[in-house]
Amino acid sequence: MSDLIATKRVDLLAPYLALDQGSKIQAEYIWIDGEGGMRCKTMTLDKAPASVSDLKEWNFDGSSTGQAPGDNSDVFLRPVAFFKDPFRGGANILVLCECYDNDGTPNHSNYRASCKKVMDSAKEHEPWFGLEQEYTLFDADGQVFGWPKNGFPGPQGPYYCGVGAGKVFARDFIEAHYRACLYAGINISGINAEVMPAQWEFQVGPCEGIEMGDHLWMARFLLLRIGEEWGIKPSLHPKPLKGDWNGAGCHSNYSTKEMRTPGKGMAAIEDAIKKLEKKHLEHIAVYGEDNDQRLTGKHETASMTSFSAGIANRGASIRIPRHVGAQGYGYLEDRRPASNVDPYRVTSILVETTLLNN
């Protein structure tokens, strides 16, 4: 029996969402839990906030989210950014929060706090990021969405950026997520079907500094939240299926003001790559769980145990796009991060390694 069902009845809910809510605002407070998942709860506000500073601090039971012991369970939510709410519409908002312990220090699950310090330290270099979030869709029965119930689809080949029945799965779900991100104000820059059937990718960026992590986490929240309504479970596991199927990554595009400077950019990119090579294992350690199942040297990945770089090489640790190599400035692509990587951790360590650890 299915353990996952769609939880939204549009025909039942619509009349209630159409009711006038007066001057009150619903603010959905969202945070990252102790397992890297997402949680949320709603607060009623008397009026719409003009800035984050207008939003109240809140708290929750951290013993129920893997973030605190039962005898000292209060964890505090500090708003850091807010977005338009595509589910409730109107002036209602989604509020991204950091988690803090009762002594005022960041909770162990809070990687944003340290990332913000890193980004502030490197502000003069104007670090830009663009993250490519791959994910796989599963249906209510735990089967890869759209796959035959008692078998497998045809081999990989026709699905990447595919068009047509049997080549593309759940396009309506993907379009809903895309439009919800645009409405919310997330800097989503594109989508495409991926190499494995029912695997998709969306791209967020370019974003500067801490905004990269904020926007990707909110895009993930919308993906999961819309999945509730479709009865679809998006998976961020880097190798959701064993065998001759592509894994899922979060390729991280990165540049600094120096890398983007004509005439000087390639030297800055090459310098960054040398620094990244020296810290390869430190990066792998924070680049996501179960990444060893994905970084095998096959299926457009580099080996987890060795570092490599090259122009237009999708089997390298670091890829320099061909047009960047031709024009001599631009950005690099770190292809090592897994699909379940924390964006605060990957952006933070990229900046630390290339700009701050000299």
Side-chain angles (χ1 to χ4, degrees):
M1 180 178 290
S2 169
D3 61 357
L4 180 69
I5 60 173
T7 57
K8 180 177 178 180
R9 284 280 303 277
V10 175
D11 56 331
L12 295 178
L13 181 60
Y16 298 95
L17 287 181
L19 294 174
D20 183 9
Q21 64 188 75
S23 61
K24 301 290 187 179
I25 302 298
Q26 289 174 279
E28 192 77 11
Y29 276 52
I30 299 161
W31 71 96
I32 302 154
D33 68 19
E35 301 298 325
M38 305 198 78
R39 308 281 180 135
C40 64
K41 62 177 185 172
T42 312
M43 175 188 289
T44 301
L45 307 179
D46 290 331
K47 62 179 180 179
S51 68
V52 171
S53 62
D54 293 333
L55 293 165
K56 301 175 183 177
E57 186 176 283
W58 208 4
N59 62 69
F60 64 93
D61 172 17
S63 69
S64 297
T65 62
Q67 292 170 281
D71 61 353
N72 189 15
S73 64
D74 282 0
V75 177
F76 294 89
L77 293 171
R78 295 184 184 175
V80 294
F82 65 91
F83 301 79
K84 293 169 63 178
D85 186 341
F87 306 107
R88 295 178 173 125
N92 300 302
I93 57 174
L94 305 175
V95 182
L96 181 65
C97 302
E98 283 189 29
C99 295
Y100 282 82
D101 294 333
N102 61 6
D103 62 359
T105 60
N107 184 265
H108 66 83
S109 64
N110 180 358
Y111 294 108
R112 187 186 189 278
S114 58
C115 181
K116 181 67 164 58
K117 291 179 181 178
V118 168
M119 295 306 168
D120 288 346
S121 297
K123 191 173 183 179
E124 65 181 290
H125 299 283
E126 299 175 12
W128 290 3
F129 304 93
L131 299 191
E132 305 170 24
Q133 177 68 71
E134 294 179 340
Y135 57 98
T136 308
L137 302 178
F138 286 81
D139 67 16
D141 298 313
Q143 173 88 16
V144 182
F145 191 89
W147 285 31
K149 290 297 183 183
N150 297 306
F152 296 90
Q156 295 183 153
Y159 311 110
Y160 173 70
C161 297
V163 177
K167 297 179 182 178
V168 176
F169 303 87
R171 193 185 291 276
D172 56 347
F173 173 82
I174 272 65
E175 289 291 341
H177 175 251
Y178 196 171
R179 187 61 62 91
C181 286
L182 290 172
Y183 176 88
I186 293 166
N187 191 19
I188 187 170
S189 49
I191 59 170
N192 62 268
E194 268 300 335
V195 177
M196 188 179 85
Q199 185 186 75
W200 286 82
E201 172 185 298
F202 64 85
Q203 305 91 32
V204 175
C207 295
E208 184 171 344
I210 197 67
E211 186 180 74
M212 183 68 256
D214 293 350
H215 281 237
L216 189 69
W217 271 117
M218 288 305 302
R220 287 177 173 178
F221 173 80
L222 294 183
L223 189 72
L224 296 171
R225 181 67 175 71
I226 295 169
E228 293 178 15
E229 302 178 2
W230 255 258
I232 288 176
K233 184 177 181 181
S235 170
L236 298 186
H237 194 282
K239 188 68 174 179
L241 269 79
K242 308 296 183 185
D244 194 21
W245 303 102
N246 273 35
C250 189
H251 300 154
S252 302
N253 300 283
Y254 168 56
S255 74
T256 62
K257 179 173 63 176
E258 293 81 6
M259 294 181 193
R260 299 188 296 270
T261 302
K264 300 179 181 179
M266 188 54 67
I269 291 171
E270 291 172 349
D271 180 65
I273 291 174
K274 290 177 182 177
K275 293 176 179 178
L276 290 170
E277 181 175 15
K278 293 177 181 178
K279 297 285 186 177
H280 175 63
L281 295 181
E282 288 91 334
H283 281 247
I284 291 296
V286 300
Y287 273 8
E289 300 296 323
D290 297 316
N291 210 12
D292 57 310
Q293 299 177 28
R294 168 180 163 264
L295 292 181
T296 62
K298 300 177 180 178
H299 301 111
E300 299 182 69
T301 70
S303 170
M304 188 171 186
T305 58
S306 60
F307 182 91
S308 58
I311 294 177
N313 183 357
R314 295 182 184 274
S317 306
I318 304 294
R319 181 178 75 97
I320 300 173
R322 188 170 298 283
H323 75 277
V324 172
Q327 68 188 15
Y329 63 93
Y331 64 97
L332 60 84
E333 178 192 42
D334 191 338
R335 297 179 60 81
R336 296 171 293 174
S339 48
N340 58 14
V341 72
D342 188 315
Y344 297 128
R345 301 187 81 178
V346 65
T347 56
S348 180
I349 198 170
L350 281 169
V351 169
E352 287 182 283
T353 296
T354 60
L355 297 176
L356 303 182
N357 293 337
N358 296 322

